[in-house]
Amino acid sequence: MTAGKETDLWYAVIDEERQDRTGRPEAVYCEGKTLEQAEAVICRMREKGIPVLATRACEALALRIRGRFPDAAYDSLSRLLSVGVFCPAEERRGLVAVLAAGTSDLPAAREAALTAEFYGSTVRLICDVGVAGIHRLFERLPEIRAARVVVAAAGMEGALASVTAGLVSAPVIALPVSTGYGAAFGGLSALLGMLTACAPGVSVVNIDNGFGAGYQASQINLLGEGRGVPK
Amino acid sequence: MTAGKETDLWYAVIDEERQDRTGRPEAVYCEGKTLEQAEAVICRMREKGIPVLATRACEALALRIRGRFPDAAYDSLSRLLSVGVFCPAEERRGLVAVLAAGTSDLPAAREAALTAEFYGSTVRLICDVGVAGIHRLFERLPEIRAARVVVAAAGMEGALASVTAGLVSAPVIALPVSTGYGAAFGGLSALLGMLTACAPGVSVVNIDNGFGAGYQASQINLLGEGRGVPK
Amino acid sequence: MTAGKETDLWYAVIDEERQDRTGRPEAVYCEGKTLEQAEAVICRMREKGIPVLATRACEALALRIRGRFPDAAYDSLSRLLSVGVFCPAEERRGLVAVLAAGTSDLPAAREAALTAEFYGSTVRLICDVGVAGIHRLFERLPEIRAARVVVAAAGMEGALASVTAGLVSAPVIALPVSTGYGAAFGGLSALLGMLTACAPGVSVVNIDNGFGAGYQASQINLLGEGRGVPK
Amino acid sequence: MTAGKETDLWYAVIDEERQDRTGRPEAVYCEGKTLEQAEAVICRMREKGIPVLATRACEALALRIRGRFPDAAYDSLSRLLSVGVFCPAEERRGLVAVLAAGTSDLPAAREAALTAEFYGSTVRLICDVGVAGIHRLFERLPEIRAARVVVAAAGMEGALASVTAGLVSAPVIALPVSTGYGAAFGGLSALLGMLTACAPGVSVVNIDNGFGAGYQASQINLLGEGRGVPK
Amino acid sequence: MTAGKETDLWYAVIDEERQDRTGRPEAVYCEGKTLEQAEAVICRMREKGIPVLATRACEALALRIRGRFPDAAYDSLSRLLSVGVFCPAEERRGLVAVLAAGTSDLPAAREAALTAEFYGSTVRLICDVGVAGIHRLFERLPEIRAARVVVAAAGMEGALASVTAGLVSAPVIALPVSTGYGAAFGGLSALLGMLTACAPGVSVVNIDNGFGAGYQASQINLLGEGRGVPK
Amino acid sequence: MTAGKETDLWYAVIDEERQDRTGRPEAVYCEGKTLEQAEAVICRMREKGIPVLATRACEALALRIRGRFPDAAYDSLSRLLSVGVFCPAEERRGLVAVLAAGTSDLPAAREAALTAEFYGSTVRLICDVGVAGIHRLFERLPEIRAARVVVAAAGMEGALASVTAGLVSAPVIALPVSTGYGAAFGGLSALLGMLTACAPGVSVVNIDNGFGAGYQASQINLLGEGRGVPK
Amino acid sequence: MTAGKETDLWYAVIDEERQDRTGRPEAVYCEGKTLEQAEAVICRMREKGIPVLATRACEALALRIRGRFPDAAYDSLSRLLSVGVFCPAEERRGLVAVLAAGTSDLPAAREAALTAEFYGSTVRLICDVGVAGIHRLFERLPEIRAARVVVAAAGMEGALASVTAGLVSAPVIALPVSTGYGAAFGGLSALLGMLTACAPGVSVVNIDNGFGAGYQASQINLLGEGRGVPK
Amino acid sequence: MTAGKETDLWYAVIDEERQDRTGRPEAVYCEGKTLEQAEAVICRMREKGIPVLATRACEALALRIRGRFPDAAYDSLSRLLSVGVFCPAEERRGLVAVLAAGTSDLPAAREAALTAEFYGSTVRLICDVGVAGIHRLFERLPEIRAARVVVAAAGMEGALASVTAGLVSAPVIALPVSTGYGAAFGGLSALLGMLTACAPGVSVVNIDNGFGAGYQASQINLLGEGRGVPK
């Protein structure tokens, strides 16, 4: 069979114009790619000068990439791997609050937080404020209300999203997490709960999609900053 | 075919010993029965002196029964029909708090409240305390904390159960309600959310099963009262 | 049973502080309420001077309310009923683009558009730009790119959200619609498709929840306008 | 990113007031936490003098904790780990009967039994009384009827809950177990069966949630004892 | 378009050889057929001398058919319509016991009973023996044990099948019924419960498929009678 | 709000180029459109000379359209409405065989057959050849084998697709139908069965999507005819 | 906690009367039991002289048991382990035909065949007669028609059950198998297909429940033999 | 038990007539077969001169087979194993375009491509043309439009099928892939999205069924070539 393209990277097409169209470069989704494929895609992007954020990267890939690129950074909890810088730390703006209902929700919450930072937002990560001990949420309300956007990460019943949205004026991005067992059905219970939140001002991303939550939170945050204004 | 019993009520068997075994008489589930069948069952129970609580009774059945029994009472919101008295109002004891997250959850909540009263509990019904405006719940906390058992009725994401269970020492019976649309899936979302509540002290009944919630709440309440002690 | 409150509106609690907490007044969800309950809630809110947006209102309710309040407005396609004004038309700001994939998606799309207007946003509704004839979407791209937020309403497979998010820098609020039959499963197919959109920058609301999409779109839009900044 | 709290335990907040609010201290859910996180949380709680019940603890964690705390106890069947004592054995009161339909349901049933003991209840565990040989249940009825609360743990079709509730006056907490294969769908079949039990007096906890069943059984049991009365 | 057959009944093919192949004539499933189609099929079968059993027949069809065939018989509860006789009443053999858990399960149970009779079995219908009052089942055990095959019809959690199969040596055909609401999911809960019955000796037919249960019960029953032996 | 287009048909965009891109004009999906909207869309298409095939059209729409266009044709079984001619009957080519497992599957099968004819294929509709009487299928095999493409319409378990695909060399388009009840789940059972057919050479369209099956069958059929060759 | 029984086998109750009640001894379900528990149960049964059939037994258990009981037999394909003899080979009667659609369905089919033999039936196992090559089924029809009961084991779409039931007069026990991937959903697709089989004379057991299919097939088979007649 | 056939391959029946009936030889599905079974089936087919395509073959099987047959070929990405040649490379005809939305979709896409080649089609594999960067699809449109059939492989929301079908006149075989996580539900989301595609001209195969997609694509392609015409 022919692949129709004379190139050494026949299985992938770098979307070089993504940043022009959407204001942010393409990220690399590593699951389902072989180590070789993921590595080749990252290298090609770096050759073209595109800063890379790779999601769901395993340790083995991180090792390879760090061997090649000294500026690569890997966070094993969230499995995020970055190479190069899209927005320097000192230019981050606005404020995104990322809430995690419990310690077990940290991997997804942290993915959201690091993603929002990568794309240029200042982030505050606020942990273990689930509704079983709701005073813990109230204690952090001033910090949360200071944010332009809130990400609420929770597993099990995911009630944190509804409760938070009833308390703040900022938009809430709900991030259902696969924490839990039995009728949690791998995050489905939290997902449905967040989609049917009784308080308005909530929209939802895929289960465990910390990247998507952080990406959109940053889009919204910087809109408020007067940056990231759409073309 | 033969039904194997020479009786005019071949299609139903009154469980006369139910009260001896479980401390409470059998209730009549009207859905799926013809008007004639439901009426005949109720009459037979009254002949035997058993006080009747009939659930999901339609207006037409209520009309027929009230025509026959002057002491019949019908509540159209909850569709509960009672004939005869199991526990006189002045002998009700303890306290069951029934919470309804929103006005749309009232039919189920009211079924729970009236059922608990029928079986001998004092009941307080507290409406519209959903988590979208959580101060409304906090304002009623003293009343709720006075109860021996709490029923939390909610549709949509059903977060009321988790939040309440984190605030009181009484057991919480969660009553998922079919309020909502789309991903609420006829109460499934609330059901799953309540089953995976992050706060302990919650158990759950079937969607819209106000009868079941009120029944068990009364069982528990009167246990605390030193009545209804099991044999 | 006691309801614990000496008031004529025992079944509902107006959340008067909602606007203080979240910047916008409470809306009224009419499904599951009797006509009398819905009417009483709206009247009470008007007495307190709160502008009312009532969702999923039937014609009969609209008739009653318009008989009482000359400034009531009803849109039969989206079933939105408003009484009073939260933000005068001349003070609307920013731009929300609401896309409808097909004519059958209009009821939900229009609910989103009218909601965003109610809460103070300028809105452009762009119809019949589904991906089966994708040039129709491209023709409208300049208008869409002018918006600070995009709502993408679609039923069936809901591909409009993914495609749009790959073309614009604004955040996309995906609104799955129950258009379709068979494996569309009442909007579930569109919902899942939008949650797993291959392009980042998408978050999702409940099926047919035009109100929720319009509400959050307006939150985000006005953030970009320097208004609606959270406290 | 900032976590907003200058502390060595930024990822967890001990809910010290839980016992004041709900009469019982917080338990630790170990799944989804790293060994280090779980250990740190337990240590912090012990520093504050809070007795610890940790659920779903693996052997490795148990080893670490027992190395630090000589009074730690681990049950490998139920994966419960306790450190410190909430209620001394000699002060246990009332009676909770925990039924297991089959030997394969023991891990969940035992988690329920040990949890109820931890929180101060006397417990009787009655094994292998599933309905396939229903005389085994009848033989144990006197013991079961002596209890103030019954926990019925069963997998497959979960019929034990319905049958038991028709035979006793005590409330039944149904505990669906993931025993079975195929259409058992990891406990879903038992869960649905218990939610739709034809006998009243049943409420249900999450699949395999022995902790939740034991917790609520103890709440109810001690209510009957005149203890654990809500504030 | 052409239908490829020159006949007045182009949309249906009478399976005249069915009785030769399977020992019993074809039945007519009326749902989804127009009145005209159903009537024409029945007439054609009668012309060929085939005795007809039509399932899910509405009143209107019954009226039409009884107008044409004086020996037609219609049972409105089960919606079974028969024309002609496959096995005369005096030649019925063996014994099939059809159990109905509750009065609401009668339509399906009766369809099973009448079907088994049509195909030549003696039938005993035993009503209201659900497990909530299990003594009612025990009282009828001698009658049930006299049967060669047992059909157990139940909605809600469907526990009747498991309990019965543990008490008799005959094969049990479980017939899940759509009785119930909420998590009963239109009979799904009973279906799953019966498929995962903890007692062996149970097989299951489709929800509300009284016809299928009665058909197979009769097959088995007559096998025991030395009739209906396969070719 | 503005719709951004100065036109009397702001809610719909006729995809005039569809025929250029895909070789066939756009069809009109009537469900979810008001009568006025559907009528306006059809009129606009006729003004532009586009032949119209409208699916899921109700009688009321058919009446209106026939009042305006004398060449409109309506088939009430399949609810197809056509105005104008895309391919004259005498120019139809090739052969599509449309199989219906039972008479109840006719509405969907007929929609497939009429659609394939509209787009230029000769069609043979072969009814009541379900696998319960498999000789009926074998009798028609010569006709079926004469076709270039086979559409297999079936409800319930949908086995017709597998069996047919094992007997012919032509591609089989499987059309699951919502015939059946209980575990048929509105066609889901047939859909899953067809997707997992054990014989290769089967692909599947949406439940009850006779239009889609006929459309693709015609595409394939005419490819074999040397027409409809893609650009 | 107390287990309420002074015995070394507190976690299991041998149902010694099972054979009296149901004509066959209890089988041992090994999944979810520890090796020690399973071994102890088998030993206790052997002490009481009960012949043992253990299902889903792993190799390790088989090793242990064969070390203790020289007459133990283990089949690794079906994971059946037997100790002792319920019915000697020379006393087997009647005929059960077990069909496997494909080679991949053998483990379940073989479990059915060996179970039916254990309980006293003569069995013929007929492999690889799936409907993709339907002539293979027709070639074996004489053998199949010689059986009193047919077990049809199939994965994927499970069409074998429908087709077979249309060809024989014996009852068909459908055995859905988890063979397949994707939309086979672990056997769900076959299960639904068999439940909605368009031919009467089919009942269904749980996915991969070869034991259940063989058990009931043997019950029915021996009924036809004049044995196993119920008490 | 007897298997009823005196042969060394009692568990499998080679369908030697498959090519006569369907124009193509049987393929071997390896999952669920032991290595020995799979090997024996392949050897028997080769003895009879049948060219073999084996799907889902593991490395171990490939090793064994290549040790025996020098002309065996194995592709580890798609797990396809072939032995012998059905159609020599130089006789391949027509054109099938296989599109993969992302690099992670390659295993399924490649299985489709290699299958279509095996059965005699010329194939072009076009990678990484997902809708997130839709210009990548437009760039390849001329190549895609040159094909007689298009296979569109995509995971996540699967929008590639709808978009492509709106742009080409060729039939599109949609191949849902299990790429993704959370609400992708192992390819279910893509499957539903493809079944409800808003553009006509799409039919769908099972999740990850690259073999089925390639098989039917080749059937259709060669129909257009004037070959593979059905008998």
Side-chain angles (χ1 to χ4, degrees), chain A residues 54-57 74-81 106-112 114:
Chain A
T55 65
R56 307 200 160 224
Y74 182 65
D75 178 71
S76 63
L77 196 59
S78 61
R79 291 191 289 154
L80 277 179
L81 173 69
L106 258 183
R110 200 171 164 91
E111 190 187 24
L114 291 172

Side-chain angles (χ1 to χ4, degrees), chain E residues 9 54 57 79 84 87 103 131 171:
Chain E
L9 202 66
R79 292 191 288 153
C87 172
T103 309
V131 303

Side-chain angles (χ1 to χ4, degrees), chain C residues 87-127:
Chain C
C87 172
E90 62 276 15
E91 294 182 16
R92 290 183 195 140
R93 291 287 182 276
L95 187 61
V96 173
V98 176
L99 317 186
T103 308
S104 304
D105 303 316
L106 257 184
R110 199 170 165 90
E111 189 187 23
L114 290 172
T115 297
E117 282 190 348
F118 180 87
Y119 287 116
S121 294
T122 307
V123 174
R124 177 158 295 174
L125 180 58
I126 298 177
C127 281

Side-chain angles (χ1 to χ4, degrees), chain F residues 8-229:
Chain F
D8 58 329
L9 203 65
W10 61 273
Y11 49 76
V13 182
I14 308 304
D15 185 358
E16 300 178 48
E17 311 157 25
R18 180 75 63 93
Q19 187 165 344
D20 288 341
R21 292 197 320 274
T22 69
R24 288 156 195 89
E26 189 181 25
V28 181
Y29 174 66
C30 297
E31 229 161 61
K33 292 193 177 66
T34 63
L35 281 184
E36 289 69 26
Q37 290 171 341
E39 187 176 11
V41 167
I42 292 171
C43 291
R44 183 63 54 91
M45 288 176 73
R46 293 307 294 144
E47 282 166 24
K48 293 173 186 289
I50 304 173
V52 173
L53 186 66
T55 65
R56 305 199 162 225
C58 61
E59 297 274 355
L61 179 65
L63 263 175
R64 284 193 184 206
I65 296 297
R66 282 198 294 212
R68 284 189 152 210
F69 301 96
D71 64 338
Y74 183 67
D75 179 71
S76 63
L77 197 59
S78 62
R79 292 191 288 152
L80 277 179
L81 173 69
S82 66
V83 198
V85 170
F86 176 68
C87 172
E90 61 277 13
E91 293 183 18
R92 290 184 194 140
R93 291 289 182 275
L95 186 61
V96 173
V98 177
L99 317 185
T103 309
S104 305
D105 302 315
L106 257 183
R110 200 170 164 91
E111 189 187 25
L114 291 172
T115 298
E117 282 190 349
F118 180 87
Y119 288 115
S121 294
T122 308
V123 174
R124 176 157 296 174
L125 180 58
I126 298 177
C127 281
D128 212 9
V129 290
V131 303
I134 205 165
H135 64 287
R136 300 176 302 183
L137 179 67
F138 285 108
E139 283 166 9
R140 310 297 293 272
L141 258 187
E143 289 168 84
I144 298 169
R145 284 185 166 147
R148 292 173 180 282
V149 200
V150 178
V151 173
M156 298 174 178
E157 92 290 57
L160 183 61
S162 294
V163 173
T164 304
L167 292 168
V168 303
S169 70
V172 173
I173 307 296
L175 169 51
V177 183
S178 56
T179 307
Y181 55 90
F185 291 123
L188 179 61
S189 178
L191 172 65
L192 294 180
M194 287 163 162
L195 284 166
T196 57
C198 58
V202 178
S203 64
V204 189
V205 296
N206 192 8
I207 298 163
D208 289 332
N209 187 7
F211 166 72
Y215 184 98
Q216 197 175 59
S218 192
Q219 276 183 310
I220 297 169
N221 172 52
L222 296 179
L223 203 64
E225 267 299 299
R227 293 206 308 193
V229 176

Side-chain angles (χ1 to χ4, degrees), chain D residues 131-132 134 138 156-157 159 162-163 166-167 183-185 189 192-193 195-199, chain E residues 131-132 134 138 156-157 159 162-163 166-167 183-185 189 192-193 195-199:
Chain D
V131 303
I134 205 165
F138 285 108
M156 299 175 177
E157 92 290 57
S162 295
V163 173
L167 293 168
F185 292 123
S189 179
L192 294 180
L195 284 167
T196 57
C198 57
Chain E
V131 303
I134 205 165
F138 285 107
M156 299 175 179
E157 93 288 57
S162 295
V163 173
L167 292 168
F185 292 124
S189 177
L192 294 180
L195 284 166
T196 57
C198 57

Side-chain angles (χ1 to χ4, degrees), chain E residues 155-202:
Chain E
M156 299 175 179
E157 93 288 57
L160 184 61
S162 295
V163 173
T164 304
L167 292 168
V168 304
S169 69
V172 173
I173 308 296
L175 169 51
V177 183
S178 57
T179 307
Y181 55 90
F185 292 124
L188 178 61
S189 177
L191 172 65
L192 294 180
M194 287 164 163
L195 284 166
T196 57
C198 57
V202 177

Side-chain angles (χ1 to χ4, degrees), chain B residues 162-215:
Chain B
S162 295
V163 172
T164 304
L167 292 169
V168 303
S169 69
V172 173
I173 307 298
L175 168 52
V177 182
S178 57
T179 307
Y181 55 89
F185 291 125
L188 178 61
S189 178
L191 173 65
L192 294 180
M194 287 164 163
L195 284 166
T196 57
C198 57
V202 178
S203 64
V204 188
V205 296
N206 191 8
I207 298 164
D208 289 332
N209 187 6
F211 166 73
Y215 184 97

Side-chain angles (χ1 to χ4, degrees), chain A residues 50-118:
Chain A
I50 303 174
V52 173
L53 185 67
T55 65
R56 307 200 160 224
C58 60
E59 297 274 355
L61 179 64
L63 264 175
R64 284 195 184 205
I65 296 297
R66 282 199 292 211
R68 286 190 151 209
F69 301 96
D71 63 340
Y74 182 65
D75 178 71
S76 63
L77 196 59
S78 61
R79 291 191 289 154
L80 277 179
L81 173 69
S82 66
V83 199
V85 171
F86 176 66
C87 172
E90 61 277 15
E91 293 182 18
R92 290 183 195 140
R93 291 288 182 277
L95 185 61
V96 173
V98 177
L99 316 186
T103 308
S104 304
D105 303 314
L106 258 183
R110 200 171 164 91
E111 190 187 24
L114 291 172
T115 298
E117 283 190 347
F118 181 87

